C-alpha cells in the first residue's frame, strides 16, 4: 500500500467532503431542504458520539478490559431510548429559547448569567482540549501505521508536521462551513450533511473490517462466540462499580458533551427527528459495536505480542494483505476523528466567542455595539476562536508527546464535562434551581474532578507531587486525591465520579435553596421547566407543530392590517411565487416580508415575536417581551400625547367659541346701547323741540308758557340726568372715579338711603324690616357712593315690588372681613332668564313708562361696587327679588385695582 | 399560574396515548434493570464473556426494538384533545378510562 496513494486518497476524500458540505449549503440557502431534513441525516449526525476513540479505541479497550467498553454505548442507548424524559425537553427548550450551545442554555436558564456561561465554556474547553488532541493523535498514528508498512521504506513523516497540516485543514473546513454566515440558530447545514456522510463511511468501514474478521478469519459467528466464551483473562473480570458507574457517566456525557449538544439540540430542524433517532441512534451504536470484540479477540491472536491494540482495526487487515480494506478502515478512522474535531470546534468556538470574546470586546469598545458592524466582529471572533481551540488541541498534543496517556483521556473528559449535568437537569426540571446553586455546584464539581482525576492522570510527580498523592493536600490525610475522606478501596475513576457528583449535586441543591433568584431568572426558570405548557394554547389558536397554516396567518394578518390590505398583500405574494389565489407558500422570504409588514403596524419586536411564535416554536424571550413592552409604551405615550393635544385643541376651540359669542353679544349690546341711547335722548329732545317751537310762535297765554317752560325744564333735567348717568358710568367703567374714603356707620347709610328713596312712588306704603343691632358697623369706604347703590336698590324695590303689602327686608351679615347687605322684597322676583341681564345697561324688565329711569341704575351699582372692591348680585331663591351687596369692611384701594371691574 | 383543570377521565384514544408515554418513560428504567443484572452473575477470571456478550446485545436489540415500536405513536402531535373528552365520542368500551 503506497503511502503517497494513501495521501492522495485522503486528499480526494477531503475534497469530496468539501463538495458535499458546499452542496448542502447551496441546497439549504436555496430553500431545498427536503434532503437535509431527512430524519436519517439527524440520526447520522448524532454519530459524532463515535469518535476515533470509538473507531480505534474501542477495540483496544475491549482487548484490555473485555466487555467494559460497551458501557460507553449503553449510557447513550438508555438516554435515547428514554428520550421522553430528558432529550425531548432539551430539544424543545433549545428551539424555544434559540439556544446556541450548552453554555448558552445554562446561562439563559439561570437568568442570562454570563458568569455561568463563562464557567461552562471554561469547563468545556478544559475537558475537550485533550479530547481534540486525542483525535489528532489517532490521525497521526494511523498515518504512521501506513508509513511504517510501506515497502518503499518511507521515512515516518514528521509527526508534528502531520498534526499541523491536519489541524490546518480542519480549521479551514470549520471556518469555511462553520462561519459562513451568522445564523441566529447556529445551524450549519453543510457541516451536518458532511458529518452524516462521514458517519456512513465510518460505519461501513467498521462493518467491513468486522465482517472480514468474523467470516474471513474467525470462522463465523458461533465460532466467535465460543472463542470469546473461552478467553481467560483476569483483566476481563466484571467490576460492578465500573460497569454501573460508566453507564451513568456515558449517559451523562451524551447529554452534556458540547458536540453532542450541538448536533442534538442546536442543529435540530424538526422535533420529530428525535423520535426516530430514539431508536435509530442506538441501532447505529449497536452496529458500530457488534464487531468490536471479535476484532479485538482475533487481533490479539494473530498479531504479535507488542502490537498496539488501539490500531488493530488498521493493522489486522494490513497484516492480512487487505490493502483496500485497510484503506477503507483508514478513511473510517479519519472520518471519525475529523467529524468530531469539526463539530467540537464549532461548539467550543461558539461558546468562547459568545461568552468570552464578544462580551470582552464589547466592554472594551462599547461604541461598536451601536455602530452596527457587529456581524463582522462576531464572525471574526468566531474564526479566531476556532483557530484558538484547534491550536490548543495541537499544543496539548505536542506537550503530552502523543503518549499513551492520551488514550485514557476519553473517560476523563467525559467526567469533566458531565459536571454540567446537575445544573442542566436541575435547570429543566426544578424551578428552584438558582444561579448561585448552579455556579457553586459546577465549580465544586470541576475542582474535585481536576484534583482527583484530571491532574492525577498526568502521573505522580507531574501535576501533583508524589507527596500529595501519599499524604494529601497540605498534608491532610483525608484529602488524598485518590482517596478523599479515606475512601481508599474505590477505582480512581469511580472515586472521582462519585465524589465530584455527590458534592456537585449537594452544592447545587443547597446553594439553590439558600439563595433567591432574580426576576429574569425566575421567568426563565418557569419557561424552561414548563416548556410544554404552551402546547395547548398553540392548539387553540389553530396551528400545530409550530407550522402555521397560511390560512391562520391570513386570519391574523387581517386582524392586524385590515381585510383589504391583508388580502391584497397575500395575493401579491402568492402571485410573486407564481401561484394563483390568496395563500402563498410559507417561504422565508414571504415570512420576512410579512414580518416587515406587521412591524409597520405593531412594531418590530412584536412582529418578530408573533412570527417566531407561529414558526419554529420559538418562545418569546424576556428581552423580546421587554422590547414589546417598550414599543407598546411608546405607542401609548404617543397616543396619550395625541389625546392631550386633541383635548387642548378642543378646549381652545371652546374658548374661541365662547369669546366669539361674547364678542357677538357685546357687539349686539353696543348696537342696542346706541339705539337705546339715541332713543333715550330723542324722547326728551322731541318734547323739548315741540314745546319750544310752540313757544317761539308766541301768542300764548302766560299760563301755557309757564306750563310749557316747566315741561321743557323737566325734560332738560331728565336729559341732564341721563347724560350725568352716562358720564358716571363711563367714569366708573374706566376706573377713573375719584373715591372719597372715610369711616361711616352702616346704619346711618341705610337710614340716608331709605330717606332718599322714599321719594320714589311716595304714595306706596312700604314696610321696612331691619335689624338695627346688626347694622351697627363702621365701614371704611366711600359712603356717598355706597348710599347711591342702596338708594338704587331700595327704589327699585319700591318701583317693582308687586306684592299687595310690600315688605322690604334688609339683612346684614358679616363674614371674614367682608360685609354682606341683602335687600329682599316679597314680590314676584326676577325671572331666571332676566337675572343675567339686569345688570346690563338699559336693561329694563317692565315697560318703559313704569320705569321712569334710563335703565342704567343697576349697571351703575355694579360699577360702583366693583370700584369699592365689592359686588352686587342677584340672590336667587329668596321668594322675591333679592340683591346682595358684598363689600370689604376696610377698603384698601391698592387691592381694589386688582379686582375685576 | 392558573391552568385549566384537567378532567378526571379521558377518552379512549387519549388514554392510550398517555399509557404509551408511560411505557416510553418506563423503557430506560427497564434497560437499566436488565443491564445491571449481569453484575450478579460474577465472571471469575473473566470467563463466560461469550454468554454475557450475547445477553447484552440481546437486551440492546430489544431496547432498540421497543423504542422503534413506541416512537411513531409518541412523535404524533401531543396536544390534540389531550385534556378534553370529546363529547361526541361513544363511551369507552371495555375498560374504564381512568
Amino acid at each position: 500500500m503506497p503511502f503517497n496513494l494513501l495521501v492522495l486518497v485522503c486528499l480526494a476524500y477531503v475534497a469530496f467532503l468539501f463538495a458535499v458540505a458546499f452542496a448542502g449549503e447551496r441546497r439549504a440557502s436555496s430553500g431545498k431542504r427536503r434532503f437535509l431534513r431527512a430524519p436519517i441525516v439527524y440520526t447520522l449526525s448524532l454519530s459524532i458520539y463515535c469518535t476515533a476513540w470509538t473507531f480505534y479505541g474501542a477495540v483496544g479497550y475491549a482487548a484490555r478490559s473485555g466487555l467494559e467498553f460497551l458501557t460507553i454505548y449503553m449510557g447513550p442507548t438508555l438516554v435515547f431510548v428514554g428520550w421522553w424524559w430528558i432529550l425531548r425537553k432539551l430539544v424543545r427548550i433549545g428551539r424555544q429559547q434559540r439556544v446556541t450551545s450548552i453554555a448558552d442554555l445554562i446561562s439563559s436558564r439561570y437568568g442570562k448569567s454570563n458568569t455561568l456561561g463563562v464557567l461552562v465554556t471554561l469547563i468545556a474547553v478544559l475537558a475537550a482540549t485533550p479530547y481534540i488532541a486525542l483525535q489528532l493523535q489517532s490521525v497521526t498514528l494511523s498515518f504512521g501505521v501506513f508509513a511504517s508498512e510501506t515497502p518503499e521504506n518511507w521515512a515516518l513523516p514528521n509527526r508534528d508536521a502531520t498534526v499541523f497540516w491536519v489541524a490546518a485543514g480542519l480549521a479551514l473546513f470549520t471556518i469555511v462551513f462553520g462561519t459562513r454566515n451568522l445564523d441566529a440558530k447556529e445551524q450549519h447545514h453543510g457541516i451536518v450533511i458532511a458529518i452524516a456522510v462521514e458517519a456512513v463511511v465510518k460505519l461501513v468501514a467498521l462493518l467491513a473490517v468486522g465482517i472480514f474478521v468474523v467470516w474471513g478469519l474467525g470462522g463465523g459467528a458461533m465460532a466467535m462466540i465460543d472463542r470469546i466464551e473461552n478467553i481467560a483473562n483476569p483483566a476481563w473480570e466484571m467490576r460492578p462499580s465500573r460497569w454501573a458507574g460508566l453507564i451513568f457517566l456515558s449517559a451523562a456525557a451524551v447529554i452534556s458533551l458540547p458536540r453532542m449538544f450541538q448536533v442534538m439540540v442546536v442543529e435540530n430542524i424538526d422535533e420529530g427527528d428525535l423520535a426516530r433517532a430514539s431508536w435509530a441512534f442506538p441501532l447505529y451504536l449497536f452496529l458500530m459495536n457488534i464487531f468490536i470484540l471479535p476484532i479485538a479477540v482475533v487481533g490479539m491472536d494473530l498479531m504479535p505480542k507488542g502490537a498496539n491494540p488501539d490500531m488493530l482495526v488498521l493493522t489486522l487487515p494490513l497484516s492480512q494483505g487487505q490493502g483496500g480494506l485497510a484503506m477503507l478502515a483508514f478513511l473510517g478512522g479519519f472520518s471519525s476523528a475529523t467529524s468530531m474535531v469539526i463539530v467540537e470546534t464549532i461548539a467550543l468556538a461558539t461558546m468562547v466567542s459568545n461568552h468570552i470574546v464578544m462580551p470582552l470586546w464589547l466592554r472594551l469598545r462599547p461604541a461598536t455595539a451601536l455602530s452596527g458592524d457587529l456581524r463582522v466582529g462576531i464572525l471574526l471572533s468566531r474564526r479566531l476562536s476556532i483557530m484558538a481551540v484547534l491550536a490548543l488541541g495541537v499544543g496539548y498534543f505536542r506537550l503530552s508527546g502523543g503518549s499513551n496517556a492520551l488514550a485514557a483521556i476519553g473517560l476523563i473528559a467525559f467526567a469533566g464535562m458531565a459536571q454540567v449535568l446537575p445544573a442542566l437537569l436541575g435547570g429543566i426540571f426544578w424551578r428552584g434551581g438558582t444561579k448561585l446553586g448552579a455556579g457553586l455546584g459546577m465549580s465544586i464539581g470541576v475542582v474535585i474532578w481536576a484534583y482527583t482525576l484530571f491532574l492525577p492522570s498526568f502521573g505522580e510527580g507531574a501535576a501533583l507531587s508524589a507527596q500529595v498523592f501519599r499524604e494529601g493536600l497540605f498534608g491532610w490525610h483525608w484529602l488524598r486525591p485518590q482517596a478523599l475522606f479515606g475512601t481508599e478501596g474505590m477505582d480512581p475513576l469511580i472515586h472521582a465520579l462519585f465524589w465530584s457528583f455527590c458534592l456537585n449535586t449537594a452544592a447545587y441543591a443547597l446553594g439553590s435553596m439558600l439563595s433567591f433568584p432574580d426576576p429574569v431568572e425566575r421567568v426563565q426558570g418557569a419557561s424552561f421547566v414548563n416548556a410544554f405548557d404552551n402546547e395547548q394554547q398553540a392548539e387553540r389558536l389553530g396551528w400545530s407543530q409550530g407550522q402555521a397554516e397560511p390560512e391562520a396567518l391570513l386570519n391574523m394578518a387581517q386582524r392586524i392590517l385590515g381585510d383589504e390590505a391583508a388580502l391584497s398583500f397575500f395575493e401579491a405574494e402568492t402571485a410573486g411565487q407564481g401561484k394563483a389565489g390568496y395563500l402563498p407558500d410559507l417561504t422565508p422570504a414571504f415570512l420576512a416580508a410579512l414580518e416587515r409588514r406587521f412591524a409597520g403596524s405593531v412594531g418590530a419586536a412584536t412582529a418578530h415575536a408573533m412570527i417566531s411564535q407561529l414558526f419554529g416554536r420559538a418562545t418569546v424571550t424576556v428581552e423580546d417581551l421587554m422590547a414589546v413592552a417598550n414599543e407598546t409604551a411608546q405607542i401609548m405615550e404617543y397616543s396619550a400625547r395625541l389625546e392631550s393635544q386633541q383635548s387642548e385643541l378642543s378646549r381652545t376651540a371652546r374658548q374661541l367659541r365662547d369669546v366669539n359669542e361674547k364678542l357677538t353679544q357685546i357687539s349686539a349690546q353696543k348696537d342696542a346701547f346706541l339705539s337705546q341711547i339715541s332713543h333715550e335722548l330723542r324722547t326728551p329732545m322731541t318734547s323739548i323741540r315741540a314745546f319750544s317751537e310752540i313757544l317761539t310762535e308766541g301768542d300764548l297765554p302766560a299760563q301755557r308758557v309757564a306750563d310749557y317752560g316747566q315741561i321743557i325744564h323737566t325734560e332738560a333735567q331728565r336729559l341732564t340726568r341721563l347724560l350725568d348717568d352716562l358720564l358716571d358710568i363711563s367714569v366708573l367703567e374706566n376706573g377713573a372715579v375719584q373715591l372719597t374714603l372715610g369711616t361711616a356707620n352702616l346704619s346711618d347709610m341705610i337710614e340716608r338711603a331709605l330717606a332718599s328713596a322714599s321719594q320714589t312712588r311716595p304714595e306706596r306704603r312700604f314696610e321696612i324690616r331691619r335689624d338695627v343691632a346688626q347694622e351697627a358697623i363702621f365701614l371704611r369706604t366711600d359712603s356717598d357712593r355706597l348710599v347711591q347703590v342702596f338708594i338704587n336698590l331700595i327704589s327699585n324695590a319700591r318701583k317693582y315690588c308687586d306684592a299687595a303689602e310690600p315688605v322690604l327686608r334688609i339683612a346684614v351679615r358679616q363674614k371674614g372681613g367682608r360685609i354682606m347687605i341683602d335687600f329682599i322684597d316679597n314680590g314676584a322676583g326676577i325671572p331666571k332668564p332676566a337675572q343675567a341681564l339686569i345688570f346690563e345697561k338699559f336693561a329694563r324688565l317692565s315697560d318703559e313708562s313704569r320705569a321712569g329711569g334710563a335703565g342704567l341704575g343697576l349697571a351703575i351699582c355694579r360699577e360702583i361696587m366693583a370700584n369699592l372692591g365689592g359686588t352686587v348680585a342677584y340672590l336667587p331663591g329668596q321668594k322675591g327679588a333679592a340683591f346682595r351687596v358684598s363689600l370689604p369692611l376696610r377698603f384698601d384701594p391698592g387691592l381694589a385695582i386688582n379686582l375685576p371691574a | 399560574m392558573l391552568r385549566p383543570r384537567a378532567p378526571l377521565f379521558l377518552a379512549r384514544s387519549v388514554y392510550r396515548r398517555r399509557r404509551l408515554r408511560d411505557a416510553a418513560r418506563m423503557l430506560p428504567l427497564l434497560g437499566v434493570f436488565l443491564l445491571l443484572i449481569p453484575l450478579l452473575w460474577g465472571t471469575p477470571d473473566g470467563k463466560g464473556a461469550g454468554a454475557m456478550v450475547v445477553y447484552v446485545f440481546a437486551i440492546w436489540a430489544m431496547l432498540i426494538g421497543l423504542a422503534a415500536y413506541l416512537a411513531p405513536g409518541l412523535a404524533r402531535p401531543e396536544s390534540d384533545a389531550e385534556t378534553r373528552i370529546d363529547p361526541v365520542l361513544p363511551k369507552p368500551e371495555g375498560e374504564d378510562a381512568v
Side-chain angles (χ1 to χ4, degrees), chain A residues 334-629:
Chain A
F334 184 75
S335 298
S336 314
T338 50
S339 59
M340 179 276 175
V341 173
I342 289 166
V343 177
E344 189 87 1
T345 308
I346 286 185
L348 288 180
T350 308
M351 289 194 226
V352 169
S353 158
N354 284 2
H355 295 281
I356 297 178
V357 179
M358 286 315 287
L360 268 181
W361 192 53
L362 288 179
R363 187 166 299 178
L364 293 177
R365 301 174 57 193
T368 42
L370 304 171
S371 64
D373 60 346
L374 222 51
R375 280 178 58 91
V376 183
I378 292 175
L379 282 180
L380 184 68
S381 95
R382 213 45 83 68
R383 285 170 187 155
L384 290 179
S385 304
I386 286 174
M387 287 195 261
V389 168
L390 276 168
L392 270 179
V394 172
Y396 190 92
F397 173 72
R398 286 190 174 187
L399 274 181
S400 67
S403 64
N404 284 335
L406 269 182
I409 208 77
L411 286 174
I412 296 174
F414 273 25
M417 203 56 224
Q419 299 305 324
V420 175
L421 193 72
L424 179 71
L425 291 189
I428 64 173
F429 288 112
W430 183 37
R431 278 178 67 178
T434 69
K435 194 186 305 183
L436 183 79
L440 217 57
M442 286 192 288
S443 314
I444 287 180
V446 165
V447 167
I448 293 174
W449 165 76
Y451 180 64
T452 60
L453 193 62
F454 187 56
L455 297 180
S457 76
F458 297 107
E460 277 192 30
L464 296 174
S465 69
Q467 196 195 354
V468 171
F469 269 92
R470 264 179 285 109
E471 293 167 19
L473 202 61
F474 315 122
W476 292 344
H477 201 64
W478 51 275
L479 273 187
R480 278 170 298 162
Q482 296 188 330
L484 276 186
F485 310 110
T487 48
E488 285 179 49
M490 295 171 92
D491 176 86
L493 179 74
I494 301 302
H495 168 267
L497 200 62
F498 177 76
W499 282 117
S500 61
F501 256 88
C502 285
L503 296 179
N504 180 341
T505 311
Y508 171 64
L510 212 64
S512 297
M513 285 189 279
L514 293 181
S515 60
F516 194 83
D518 64 42
V520 179
E521 218 178 320
R522 295 176 78 177
V523 170
Q524 290 294 91
S527 70
F528 272 58
V529 174
N530 304 329
F532 291 104
D533 275 7
N534 49 7
E535 202 100 300
Q536 282 161 353
Q537 191 184 355
E539 186 76 11
R540 219 175 29 248
L541 293 174
W543 57 82
S544 57
Q545 283 214 304
Q547 293 291 313
E549 298 302 319
E551 221 166 321
L553 265 187
L554 179 59
N555 253 329
M556 189 171 87
Q558 280 177 333
R559 263 181 266 161
I560 292 173
L561 305 174
D563 285 355
E564 258 326 294
L567 272 177
S568 61
F569 175 72
F570 270 63
E571 192 178 15
E573 288 290 322
T574 317
Q577 290 178 355
K579 287 170 55 176
Y582 293 96
L583 298 178
D585 291 335
L586 301 176
T587 60
F590 166 66
L591 289 177
L594 188 65
E595 186 179 321
R596 274 198 302 279
R597 196 64 193 265
F598 280 3
S601 302
V602 293
T606 316
H608 181 71
M610 288 170 114
I611 296 286
S612 53
Q613 181 94 40
L614 285 167
F615 281 84
R617 273 194 180 141
T619 300
V620 188
T621 61
V622 178
E623 272 89 0
D624 285 343
L625 278 182
M626 282 175 175
V628 171

Side-chain angles (χ1 to χ4, degrees), chain A residues 515-722:
Chain A
S515 60
F516 194 83
D518 64 42
V520 179
E521 218 178 320
R522 295 176 78 177
V523 170
Q524 290 294 91
S527 70
F528 272 58
V529 174
N530 304 329
F532 291 104
D533 275 7
N534 49 7
E535 202 100 300
Q536 282 161 353
Q537 191 184 355
E539 186 76 11
R540 219 175 29 248
L541 293 174
W543 57 82
S544 57
Q545 283 214 304
Q547 293 291 313
E549 298 302 319
E551 221 166 321
L553 265 187
L554 179 59
N555 253 329
M556 189 171 87
Q558 280 177 333
R559 263 181 266 161
I560 292 173
L561 305 174
D563 285 355
E564 258 326 294
L567 272 177
S568 61
F569 175 72
F570 270 63
E571 192 178 15
E573 288 290 322
T574 317
Q577 290 178 355
K579 287 170 55 176
Y582 293 96
L583 298 178
D585 291 335
L586 301 176
T587 60
F590 166 66
L591 289 177
L594 188 65
E595 186 179 321
R596 274 198 302 279
R597 196 64 193 265
F598 280 3
S601 302
V602 293
T606 316
H608 181 71
M610 288 170 114
I611 296 286
S612 53
Q613 181 94 40
L614 285 167
F615 281 84
R617 273 194 180 141
T619 300
V620 188
T621 61
V622 178
E623 272 89 0
D624 285 343
L625 278 182
M626 282 175 175
V628 171
N630 272 341
E631 265 170 10
T632 317
Q634 275 170 14
I635 291 170
M636 276 168 64
E637 194 188 320
Y638 181 62
S639 66
R641 247 196 342 257
L642 277 183
E643 218 165 276
S644 76
Q645 274 175 0
Q646 196 202 347
S647 67
E648 202 178 301
L649 275 179
S650 54
R651 209 165 38 241
T652 314
R654 208 163 46 238
Q655 281 170 354
L656 278 176
R657 224 175 12 247
D658 288 352
V659 169
N660 186 38
E661 239 164 58
K662 208 160 192 167
L663 280 177
T664 325
Q665 267 178 11
I666 287 172
S667 157
Q669 267 177 23
K670 186 201 71 190
D671 292 346
F673 178 75
L674 284 178
S675 74
Q676 271 292 343
I677 207 148
S678 24
H679 179 75
E680 293 291 339
L681 291 173
R682 213 173 128 208
T683 321
M685 281 305 248
T686 314
S687 51
I688 289 172
R689 208 180 67 204
F691 284 108
S692 54
E693 264 172 24
I694 297 170
L695 283 179
T696 45
E697 280 171 13
D699 193 22
L700 280 172
Q703 183 56 37
R704 275 273 174 91
V705 173
D707 283 354
Y708 291 169
Q710 184 58 40
I711 290 172
I712 290 173
H713 178 71
T714 313
E715 290 300 313
Q717 259 187 341
R718 196 172 141 192
L719 212 55
T720 314
R721 206 168 56 236
L722 180 65

Side-chain angles (χ1 to χ4, degrees), chain A residues 13-14 17-18 21 25 45 48 51-52 128 131-133 135-136 139 166-179 186 188-196 198-199 202 258-260 262-263 267 334-350 382 385-387 389-390:
Chain A
Y13 181 65
V14 169
L17 286 182
F18 266 89
E25 283 289 339
S45 71
I48 49 150
T51 62
Y131 211 101
I132 291 176
Q135 308 302 315
L136 297 176
V139 175
V166 170
L170 288 172
L172 181 70
F173 186 89
T174 314
I175 287 173
V176 167
F177 295 106
T179 61
E186 296 292 348
H188 311 91
H189 304 289
I191 283 180
V192 168
I193 201 84
I195 285 165
E198 289 194 303
K202 63 194 184 196
R259 64 173 189 278
M260 286 312 286
Q262 176 78 26
V263 287
E267 307 277 1
F334 184 75
S335 298
S336 314
T338 50
S339 59
M340 179 276 175
V341 173
I342 289 166
V343 177
E344 189 87 1
T345 308
I346 286 185
L348 288 180
T350 308
R382 213 45 83 68
S385 304
I386 286 174
M387 287 195 261
V389 168
L390 276 168

Side-chain angles (χ1 to χ4, degrees), chain A residues 600-891:
Chain A
S601 302
V602 293
T606 316
H608 181 71
M610 288 170 114
I611 296 286
S612 53
Q613 181 94 40
L614 285 167
F615 281 84
R617 273 194 180 141
T619 300
V620 188
T621 61
V622 178
E623 272 89 0
D624 285 343
L625 278 182
M626 282 175 175
V628 171
N630 272 341
E631 265 170 10
T632 317
Q634 275 170 14
I635 291 170
M636 276 168 64
E637 194 188 320
Y638 181 62
S639 66
R641 247 196 342 257
L642 277 183
E643 218 165 276
S644 76
Q645 274 175 0
Q646 196 202 347
S647 67
E648 202 178 301
L649 275 179
S650 54
R651 209 165 38 241
T652 314
R654 208 163 46 238
Q655 281 170 354
L656 278 176
R657 224 175 12 247
D658 288 352
V659 169
N660 186 38
E661 239 164 58
K662 208 160 192 167
L663 280 177
T664 325
Q665 267 178 11
I666 287 172
S667 157
Q669 267 177 23
K670 186 201 71 190
D671 292 346
F673 178 75
L674 284 178
S675 74
Q676 271 292 343
I677 207 148
S678 24
H679 179 75
E680 293 291 339
L681 291 173
R682 213 173 128 208
T683 321
M685 281 305 248
T686 314
S687 51
I688 289 172
R689 208 180 67 204
F691 284 108
S692 54
E693 264 172 24
I694 297 170
L695 283 179
T696 45
E697 280 171 13
D699 193 22
L700 280 172
Q703 183 56 37
R704 275 273 174 91
V705 173
D707 283 354
Y708 291 169
Q710 184 58 40
I711 290 172
I712 290 173
H713 178 71
T714 313
E715 290 300 313
Q717 259 187 341
R718 196 172 141 192
L719 212 55
T720 314
R721 206 168 56 236
L722 180 65
L723 290 173
D724 279 349
D725 279 356
L726 279 174
L727 203 63
D728 206 12
I729 202 165
S730 94
V731 166
L732 285 167
E733 274 183 344
N734 293 330
V737 67
Q738 281 291 322
L739 296 175
T740 42
L741 293 179
T743 310
N745 190 323
L746 179 62
S747 191
D748 292 349
M749 286 191 275
I750 293 175
E751 204 70 53
R752 265 165 63 198
L754 282 172
S756 301
S758 60
Q759 302 298 318
T760 317
R761 294 183 75 179
E763 74 282 2
R764 283 191 88 178
R765 212 189 58 82
F766 221 89
E767 190 186 338
I768 309 290
R769 290 188 190 157
R770 294 172 57 189
D771 185 350
V772 185
Q774 286 283 337
E775 292 168 7
I777 297 171
F778 281 91
L779 296 174
R780 181 180 162 74
T781 186
D782 185 332
S783 56
D784 290 341
R785 287 295 190 177
L786 193 55
V787 168
Q788 192 187 342
V789 173
F790 291 168
I791 293 169
N792 203 300
L793 293 176
I794 295 166
S795 32
N796 274 355
R798 291 189 79 100
K799 262 187 250 172
Y800 302 118
C801 182
D802 50 2
E805 292 178 358
V807 178
L808 177 69
R809 194 157 56 83
I810 301 174
V812 176
R813 237 179 312 153
Q814 205 180 330
K815 197 176 169 189
R818 285 183 86 80
I819 185 148
M820 279 165 270
I821 308 115
D822 295 347
F823 297 85
I824 305 164
D825 66 27
N826 62 344
I830 296 167
K832 194 155 177 66
Q835 286 171 10
L837 288 174
I838 49 177
F839 290 105
E840 297 302 328
K841 285 163 257 183
F842 303 109
R844 252 188 309 245
L845 299 180
S846 44
D847 58 295
E848 209 173 318
S849 57
R850 271 181 68 194
L856 284 170
L858 280 175
I860 291 174
C861 284
R862 190 182 64 176
E863 294 306 326
I864 291 173
M865 288 318 295
N867 278 287
L868 290 178
T871 56
V872 55
Y874 185 75
L875 208 59
Q878 302 295 326
K879 295 176 192 158
F883 291 87
R884 167 167 290 181
V885 175
S886 146
L887 73 161
L889 276 171
R890 299 270 172 272
F891 174 60

Side-chain angles (χ1 to χ4, degrees), chain A residues 81 85 88 229 238 243 535, chain B residues 25 27 35 43 51-52 78:
Chain A
V81 161
W85 284 106
R88 187 176 70 111
E229 180 75 24
M238 187 88 139
W243 180 263
E535 202 100 300
Chain B
R25 290 197 183 97
L27 196 55
L35 287 176
T43 49
M52 205 154 124
E78 23 206 296

